[in-house]
């Protein structure tokens, strides 16, 4: 073989080997977790920085006693402010004052209840509340979390000057991979850098908005930034068709829930139903120890949870957008569908929905229903409501409330 060609062949072989090696060594996000939207509880919405091990243990107890565990909730997540300083070797420490028994003991306790423990860090130098961030310590922190027995990492985006988001989140994903413990990776970058476009192979979910606030349609200003009510988050990325990015193991995160944190019963019901239909992680943010019967019943509605956890993993589409009336439609497994009728407005809304004039076509899944050709029976998932799609549906929906129906092909 002429020398020139030989060189070329050697070079090509070298490139092939390198590609192969990097493919073998390349990190992935954990595949055994986060396949369905995560269900759990997080400390931030109620406790802000005021977290300690007693509260977290009590919350794990309450998750079991309230029936939430049985309903499918599994993660107990500590948000910002659990941190102490780094030691002389750069290892992150817990706050000794608030977590005197250490994080490993807390993880053991949470695991003993059949639950999992989540933690929070930040891609920048400091977290949003000014605690040590993971920048420059990613592999060390991931290893520490794995040693502690952590199962979930929420990774925030404060103090990240000159960091590239895709790169920073990839680094932490790879660090978690190297730590060899399945840890659900929850990206919290608020949607500022379109994470849905790059994060599907990096995290199990990505926030699509700034922080939530327990109100229906408000914004709450904090100076340089704002928190958002339920409708504001619902509408924030309306034109981006975010459902195309979601699926098993990759979810749009509408933020931790505010059910039980001061909105009306109707608003809590709508908030929960919408988050479920849109396949958002269902992370409660209220005090589970003292919640009302009403909040508990909303959070543990098995029929609504089943929509969120449906194995087909298809996020609902906004099918009708007509002033106060929004209708969301979600294709489910086994040829079933969910319909959510939302009254955004402040007065009772009368709806006359003639199924036969409302053919449904979902371009994402290729599924459709023509109610002239196929009859479905339906049942209400909040109120007892039964019928079939041959007759128009008459609804009277109270202000800020929803009617959610599950449709099944008639036998
Ligand atoms: C950011 C996040 C919140 C919460 C706080 C903690 O604002 O978006 O969800 O984690 O930081 O400081």
């Amino acid at each position: 073989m002429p020398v020139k060609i030989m060189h070329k062949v050697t070079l090509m072989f070298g490139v092939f080997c390198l590609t192969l090696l990097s493919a073998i060594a390349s990190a992935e996000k954990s595949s055994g977790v986060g396949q369905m939207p995560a269900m759990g509880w997080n400390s931030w919405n109620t406790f802000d920085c005021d977290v300690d091990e007693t509260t977290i243990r009590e919350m794990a107890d309450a998750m079991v006693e309230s029936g939430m565990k049985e309903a499918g909730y599994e993660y107990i997540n500590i948000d910002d402010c659990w941190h102490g300083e780094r030691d002389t070797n750069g290892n992150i420490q817990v706050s000794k004052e608030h977590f005197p028994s250490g994080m490993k003991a807390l993880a053991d306790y949470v695991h003993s209840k059949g639950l999992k423990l989540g933690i929070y860090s930040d891609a920048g130098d400091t977290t949003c509340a000014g605690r040590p961030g993971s920048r420059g310590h990613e592999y060390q922190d991931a290893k520490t979390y794995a040693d502690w027995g952590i199962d979930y990492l929420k990774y925030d985006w404060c103090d990240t000057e000159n960091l590239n988001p895709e790169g920073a989140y990839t680094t932490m994903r790879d660090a978690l991979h190297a730590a060899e413990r399945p840890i659900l990776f929850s990206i919290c970058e608020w949607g500022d850098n379109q994470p849905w476009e790059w994060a599907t192979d990096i995290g199990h979910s990505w926030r699509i908005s700034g922080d939530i606030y327990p109100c229906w349609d408000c914004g709450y200003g904090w100076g340089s930034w704002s928190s958002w009510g339920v409708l504001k988050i619902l509408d924030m990325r309306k034109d981006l068709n975010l459902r195309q990015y979601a699926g098993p193991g990759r979810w749009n995160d509408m933020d931790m829930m505010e059910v039980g944190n001061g909105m009306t019963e109707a608003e809590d019901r709508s908030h929960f139903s919408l988050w479920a239909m849109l396949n958002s992680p269902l992370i409660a943010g209220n005090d589970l120890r003292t919640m009302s019967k009403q909040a508990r019943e909303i959070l543990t509605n098995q029929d609504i949870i089943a929509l969120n956890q449906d194995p087909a993993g298809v996020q609902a589409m906004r099918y009708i957008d007509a002033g106060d009336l929004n209708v969301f439609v979600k294709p489910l497994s086994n040829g079933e569908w969910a319909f959510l009728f939302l009254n955004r407005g402040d007065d009772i809304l009368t709806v006359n929905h003639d199924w036969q004039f409302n053919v449904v076509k979902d371009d994402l899944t290729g599924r459709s229903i023509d109610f002239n050709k196929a009859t479905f029976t339906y049942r209400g998932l909040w109120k007892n409501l039964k019928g079939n799609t041959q007759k128009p549906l008459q609804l009277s929906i109270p202000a800020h409330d929803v009617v959610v129906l599950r449709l099944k092909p008639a036998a």
Side-chain angles (χ1 to χ4, degrees):
M1 198 186 295
V3 174
K4 221 172 165 185
I5 297 187
M6 219 166 85
H7 275 154
K8 212 169 172 187
V9 170
T10 318
L11 191 74
M12 277 166 63
F13 183 66
V15 170
F16 170 73
C17 287
L18 275 177
T19 316
L20 194 70
L21 271 177
S22 78
I24 291 168
S26 86
E28 297 166 348
K29 62 185 186 186
S30 300
S31 56
V33 293
Q35 287 306 294
M36 287 295 119
M39 292 179 66
W41 174 87
N42 173 294
S43 55
W44 186 253
N45 289 354
T46 294
F47 296 97
D48 208 282
C49 258
D50 200 9
V51 279
D52 58 51
E53 65 181 39
T54 309
T55 313
I56 300 301
R57 278 169 185 249
E58 288 177 3
M59 222 52 72
D61 296 345
M63 186 172 273
V64 176
E65 283 154 19
S66 61
M68 284 183 66
K69 178 182 174 220
E70 210 187 329
Y73 293 83
E74 64 176 332
Y75 291 100
I76 295 285
N77 293 346
I78 314 170
D79 209 275
D80 208 343
C81 304
W82 56 266
H83 321 67
E85 295 303 320
R86 292 190 181 277
D87 69 11
T88 45
N89 296 320
N91 294 313
I92 188 71
Q93 310 287 302
V94 288
S95 151
K96 296 234 159 43
E97 190 193 335
H98 296 112
F99 294 84
S101 316
M103 203 55 92
K104 171 93 178 71
L106 188 53
D108 288 347
Y109 183 78
V110 169
H111 293 154
S112 77
K113 298 255 145 183
L115 299 169
K116 295 179 171 174
L117 185 65
I119 213 170
Y120 162 102
S121 189
D122 187 289
D125 290 320
T126 56
T127 70
C128 296
R131 305 304 195 268
S134 289
R135 188 172 186 172
H137 292 274
E138 293 88 353
Y139 280 73
Q140 197 176 11
D141 285 356
K143 173 82 173 53
T144 303
Y145 304 154
D147 290 347
W148 284 342
I150 296 296
D151 307 292
Y152 182 117
L153 175 65
K154 170 176 168 181
Y155 204 49
D156 216 336
W157 191 241
C158 278
D159 200 12
T160 49
E161 219 186 359
N162 298 326
L163 267 186
N164 167 284
E166 182 176 352
Y169 282 99
T170 303
T171 303
M172 188 44 109
R173 177 204 64 186
D174 294 354
L176 293 171
H177 181 84
E180 293 184 346
R181 181 178 171 87
I183 296 182
L184 192 151
F185 191 32
S186 157
I187 295 177
C188 176
E189 171 277 353
W190 319 306
D192 288 359
N193 298 279
Q194 298 77 47
W196 40 88
E197 286 176 3
W198 46 261
T200 50
D201 291 332
I202 300 176
H204 298 92
S205 62
W206 49 85
R207 282 270 296 276
I208 62 149
S209 72
D211 292 1
I212 195 168
Y213 196 78
C215 61
W216 185 240
D217 193 15
C218 76
Y220 187 88
W222 299 93
S224 59
W225 57 285
S226 297
S227 299
W228 306 106
V230 169
L231 290 190
K232 289 279 188 287
I233 292 183
L234 184 67
D235 294 343
M236 203 164 279
R237 314 285 177 189
K238 192 169 155 181
D239 301 327
L240 295 178
N241 190 25
L242 289 190
R243 66 191 293 260
Q244 67 184 297
Y245 303 101
R250 47 191 164 89
W251 310 108
N252 291 299
D253 178 354
M254 320 254 298
D255 204 357
M256 289 106 48
M257 296 184 290
E258 295 281 16
V259 173
N261 282 345
M263 288 189 287
T264 67
E265 182 181 353
E267 289 166 349
D268 274 356
R269 189 165 34 242
S270 299
H271 169 32
F272 187 63
S273 307
L274 287 161
W275 266 227
M277 288 284 284
L278 295 167
N279 284 6
S280 175
L282 296 180
I283 308 290
N286 57 323
D287 190 338
L288 306 182
R289 300 167 304 183
T290 54
M291 70 181 149
S292 65
K293 180 167 178 280
Q294 179 187 301
R296 183 170 54 77
E297 282 174 2
I298 290 174
L299 288 170
T300 56
N301 181 319
Q302 292 283 16
D303 286 329
I304 300 293
I305 292 171
L307 305 181
N308 181 259
Q309 300 288 307
D310 183 82
V314 184
Q315 181 175 327
M317 57 179 159
R318 198 182 311 231
Y319 167 65
I320 293 175
D321 189 358
D324 284 345
L325 175 67
N326 278 190
V327 181
F328 289 83
V329 175
K330 185 181 198 310
L332 303 170
S333 41
N334 300 324
E336 297 186 35
W337 295 76
F339 275 63
L340 179 152
F341 297 80
L342 168 69
N343 176 7
R344 303 167 61 104
D346 299 336
D347 303 311
I348 293 184
L349 182 71
T350 309
V351 178
N352 189 350
H353 186 79
D354 190 338
W355 301 99
Q356 318 222 327
F357 286 116
N358 284 281
V359 169
V360 175
K361 194 165 171 302
D362 178 14
D363 291 337
L364 185 65
T365 59
R367 285 178 57 181
S368 58
I369 337 175
D370 180 346
F371 292 105
N372 298 294
K373 300 198 178 119
T375 300
F376 285 69
T377 56
Y378 59 78
R379 67 188 176 91
L381 304 187
W382 289 110
K383 290 213 171 93
N384 195 6
L385 191 74
K386 279 200 165 66
N388 70 47
T389 53
Q390 281 174 355
K391 276 187 282 195
L393 171 72
Q394 317 265 355
L395 296 172
S396 183
I397 313 175
H400 304 181
D401 214 336
V402 279
V403 170
V404 188
L405 304 178
R406 188 175 178 120
L407 275 65
K408 205 173 159 172

